[in-house]
Amino acid sequence: MDPTTFLRHLRTQPSYRDQVTHVERLPSRRARYTRLSHPLPGALDVALKAAGVDRFFRHQAQAIQAVRNGAHVVVATGTASGKTLAYNVPVIEAILSDPRARALYLFPTKALAQDQLRALKELTDGLGGESSRRGKGAKPALAFGTYDGDTPGSARAGLRRQAAIILTNPDMLHLGILPNHNLWADFLSHLHFVVLDEAHVYRGVFGSHVALLMRRLSRLCELHGGSPRFICCSATIANPDEHVERLTGVRPTVVTDDGSPQGPKVFALWNPPFVDRRRTGRRSANAEAATLFAEMARHGLRNITFTKARVVAELVLRYARDALTKTDPGLKSRVASYRAGYLAEDRRQIERDLFSGQLIGVTATSALELGVDVGGLDATVSVGFPGTIASLWQQAGRAGRGSKSSLAVLFGLDDPLDQFYMRHPRELFGRPHEHALINPNNVYILEQHLPCAAHEYPLSSADEARFGPGFVEAMIQLEKRGLLTYRPEQDRWYYAGRDYPAQDVSMRSIGGRSVVLFDETANRRHLEEIDSATAPARAHPGAIYLHQGESYLVTSLDLEKGQALLRLAQADYYTQPREISDVRIVSSTGHRVTHSTLAYWGTVRVTRQVVGFRRVRQYSEAILGDEPLDMPALTFETRALWWDVPPEWGRRVSRRGWDFLGGLHAVEHATIGLLPLFAMCDRWDIGGLSTALHPDTGQPQVFIYDGHPGGVGITEQGFTLLDELWAAALETIKSCSCDDGCPSCIHSPKCGNNNHPLDKRAAIWILESLLPKRKLRGR
């Protein structure tokens, strides 16, 4: 059944209540090909033709040619556009020309590395390397393999010595390769290429860590005589050149002219109906998605239904299976869920079954969003905006490969960002993609990586140019703490410890002491470690914590000992922490004059405290209750944007009978909820404060701060686009059909004051006063 016919069918169903608010029809696109300036080596040409490749899409040829010309390259094109060939071809060509040449492939997940390993095997079958047709005992023409935590110790030495291509991940590079670089001296000295696949994933805290990891890698390559080129592949983002330069420290040639074919796509926005007369709440998007998932199975539409949480993927599957049992029991076994917690072989089997058509539908988290090949699908469903436009298009791009038509459906959740897109589809389909943001100059992160770098090879003043402006401040702090010692006769800093500093650095957190999570029902089995800065919000007593798809109830948290105890729980709810915060201004780095006030960006000192949590039922989103907490406060310095609110506005708002503080509070919530429109972040990555009288300024202020110590660039982007942020907040609040505010416009799920006070009318007045008339007319 084609997408248009299926949508028409859905509109005839008894449960349909005009949920489809917009349908975007995206036309097909023909393939565009380009020849290389000179032919490939014969063996590689034969291998490509054996794999079904006899010519290159335009972007593939441009990338291959740029690498041939000695450039660093970033390829930023759509899902399933064939980016893998853009790095495999020039890498293999170089190795065939120089057998001592080496390449390091970095993938954000082990699953993706395994998938690309299979693709590399298929491509090199024609070369004789890793081929199943190779005679017993024959030496491979091209040796390669994965090097990660699952690689047997007995195989590692052979890979170091013989592999021309190593496939790994940033964590293994950080923990297992760079600290032992002397064992890798020959590999690093001949390292010609570093490939970063899915480079857009490296953003925020994780991306900032990876950026410093790349600087450590480049430094050791230089030590051993190597000088690799970087080849990066990314989803379409607004700033591929800037992002890759920050990530790798080198300026790339940018390839964005996507020459791959694209079938016609029908993209539907689905907004669940209201459940009350006051229009303050909507039917659960999870329930609606389960109904649609079952209906797609009945009509044979092969699909992936993406959810934002593992447990939701399981719940959607469960309820869909219940529905199918009543009407089509034979289909129950042809739908499944896919999540990171499954064993690797189970995940591979699901991928194979989906590829072959044995499975009709799979519910999944973002684990299947990346480039794991599951063949051509008929449809994708995104249960909630996945956080970035890049991620949304990656999900939608999983269906309709080649010239095949496909359907994509986005369900709107009950929050400002999702509802903004439901009401303004032109912003979704016409808006430039967001900026990927990292901050390799974050002093907190530098203070973790510089001891690792010194442990690998002593630091010198020349390293300031490599590590950037935060280097000096971080080095001063590390000397004060006795972690580095300076030897003036060598002009070098040495690591002063006797331990292994990389083992204490998590690539996915800012720093400070880690908190170890133990499963008390399994002999205190070590589950994982989290940053102590985020532990009170993520692992407070009573929290439901998700680990590898399982729900755990946190029974205790001891920040002094750095541990939390959890036990398995059959919970059908999740928890949301409630926080209060205090913000004090440390310094203003920049300011700008807006239409009616002054806005600032700079450093603030934030004190945050988790004061309670809310239990919310997974499937219906019903609030089950609020629980108080008394957690210790956390203080840290970070980056923030803030703006003055003229005191006389308070008097003018009050004369209208509205609550001025409630208006400021509503503006704070709405702008925080909508900042992810402009920066690749989640609302949980940022915090805020609104006050009618701030002690540092003596007047009303609204703050939005980066929730990570030191900041990762989120609020800087908000400061740059502040007028656009205000305009989006105003449009969202004004167009919401509620009377006094709701989760779709000015309520915040993490508000420590239980969303009180809030005044929707005052917020509209304040935002209209902040914006110039042309901005109001433009919206």
Side-chain angles (χ1 to χ4, degrees), residues 256-278:
T256 58
D257 189 5
D258 193 339
S260 63
Q262 178 180 280
K265 188 181 293 290
V266 175
F267 207 128
L269 303 187
W270 185 292
N271 211 10
F274 288 105
V275 295
D276 61 339
R277 289 185 176 180
R278 297 181 62 198

Side-chain angles (χ1 to χ4, degrees), residues 699-720:
Q699 63 179 20
Q701 304 285 160
V702 178
F703 292 84
I704 300 176
Y705 60 82
D706 195 312
H708 304 288
V712 291
I714 297 170
T715 55
E716 184 176 12
Q717 184 69 13
F719 175 71
T720 302

Side-chain angles (χ1 to χ4, degrees), residues 6 10 26 59 225 250 273 281 343 345 375 397 495 551 624 658 705 742:
F6 182 69
L10 291 177
L26 306 172
H59 64 280
V250 299
L343 295 174
E345 181 50 39
Y495 179 61
S551 294
L624 302 178
W658 304 332
Y705 60 82
C742 69

Side-chain angles (χ1 to χ4, degrees), residues 214-521:
M214 292 303 97
R215 285 152 177 78
R216 285 166 52 197
L217 171 62
S218 297
R219 181 172 177 264
L220 292 177
C221 287
E222 185 177 293
L223 173 69
H224 292 289
S227 181
R229 276 171 282 161
F230 286 89
I231 309 174
C232 301
C233 293
S234 169
T236 305
I237 56 176
N239 60 333
D241 48 350
E242 174 192 54
H243 177 57
V244 166
E245 185 171 359
R246 288 184 177 180
L247 186 63
T248 63
V250 299
R251 179 164 295 182
T253 295
V254 181
V255 176
T256 58
D257 189 5
D258 193 339
S260 63
Q262 178 180 280
K265 188 181 293 290
V266 175
F267 207 128
L269 303 187
W270 185 292
N271 211 10
F274 288 105
V275 295
D276 61 339
R277 289 185 176 180
R278 297 181 62 198
R279 300 167 73 86
T280 60
R282 296 180 180 273
R283 185 168 184 250
S284 166
N286 300 332
E288 298 265 296
T291 301
L292 180 60
F293 184 65
E295 197 63 20
M296 285 183 170
R298 293 188 187 102
H299 288 82
L301 267 69
R302 293 172 59 205
N303 76 93
I304 301 175
T305 292
F306 291 100
T307 68
K308 298 176 79 170
R310 297 166 182 152
V311 69
V312 175
E314 299 285 359
L315 284 169
V316 169
L317 175 68
R318 181 193 307 170
Y319 284 98
R321 280 180 169 172
D322 289 346
L324 291 171
T325 299
K326 298 173 184 176
T327 60
D328 302 90
L331 295 174
K332 183 178 177 181
S333 62
R334 298 190 65 192
V335 293
S337 65
Y338 180 105
R339 53 179 170 78
Y342 289 166
L343 295 174
E345 181 50 39
D346 293 335
R347 293 199 304 271
R348 299 293 86 77
Q349 187 61 51
I350 291 170
E351 292 164 14
R352 288 192 292 268
D353 289 346
L354 190 56
F355 188 95
S356 68
Q358 177 63 34
L359 285 175
I360 299 175
V362 168
T363 62
T365 57
S366 58
L368 269 176
E369 176 185 308
L370 301 179
V372 179
D373 188 5
V374 291
L377 303 174
D378 302 305
T380 61
V381 177
S382 301
V383 186
F385 182 67
T388 68
I389 291 176
S391 290
L392 179 66
W393 285 111
Q394 276 218 304
Q395 292 181 359
R398 304 299 278 159
R401 296 190 172 195
S403 59
K404 185 179 178 182
S405 64
S406 63
L407 172 67
V409 180
L410 170 63
F411 279 86
L413 302 184
D414 217 359
D415 67 50
L417 189 59
D418 283 48
Q419 291 304 311
F420 178 85
Y421 284 132
M422 290 294 119
R423 298 182 188 117
H424 306 286
R426 70 182 185 278
E427 297 285 351
L428 183 64
F429 297 107
R431 171 181 290 278
H433 291 260
E434 309 97 335
H435 290 71
L437 302 172
I438 60 173
N439 181 16
N441 297 317
N442 183 306
V443 173
Y444 293 87
I445 301 178
L446 275 164
E447 286 179 10
Q448 296 175 74
H449 282 271
L450 291 177
C452 299
H455 178 261
E456 291 153 5
Y457 187 74
L459 291 160
S460 74
S461 53
D463 286 309
E464 181 180 356
R466 187 186 305 277
F467 287 102
F471 176 82
V472 173
E473 182 181 348
M475 292 293 284
I476 290 171
Q477 294 302 318
L478 291 167
E479 276 197 272
K480 286 182 179 178
R481 287 155 50 193
L483 291 174
L484 296 180
T485 56
Y486 179 63
R487 297 183 185 177
E489 68 280 5
Q490 300 176 9
D491 187 28
R492 291 197 175 275
W493 285 265
Y494 285 75
Y495 179 61
R498 295 185 177 181
D499 57 353
Y500 173 51
Q503 67 187 354
D504 296 322
V505 177
S506 167
M507 293 290 290
R508 289 164 176 81
S509 64
I510 284 287
R513 186 175 181 180
S514 295
V515 172
V516 182
L517 308 185
F518 293 103
D519 180 1
E520 63 181 358
T521 58

Side-chain angles (χ1 to χ4, degrees), residues 142 276 278 301 320 505 526 579 667 671:
L142 182 65
D276 61 339
R278 297 181 62 198
L301 267 69
V505 177
H526 182 290
E579 291 184 324
V667 169
T671 49

Side-chain angles (χ1 to χ4, degrees), residues 102 220 225 285 313 316 319 341 484 490 534 598 641 674 735 737 768:
R102 297 292 180 260
L220 292 177
V316 169
Y319 284 98
L484 296 180
Q490 300 176 9
T534 62
L598 283 173
L641 70 93
L674 290 165
S735 62
S737 58
E768 287 181 338

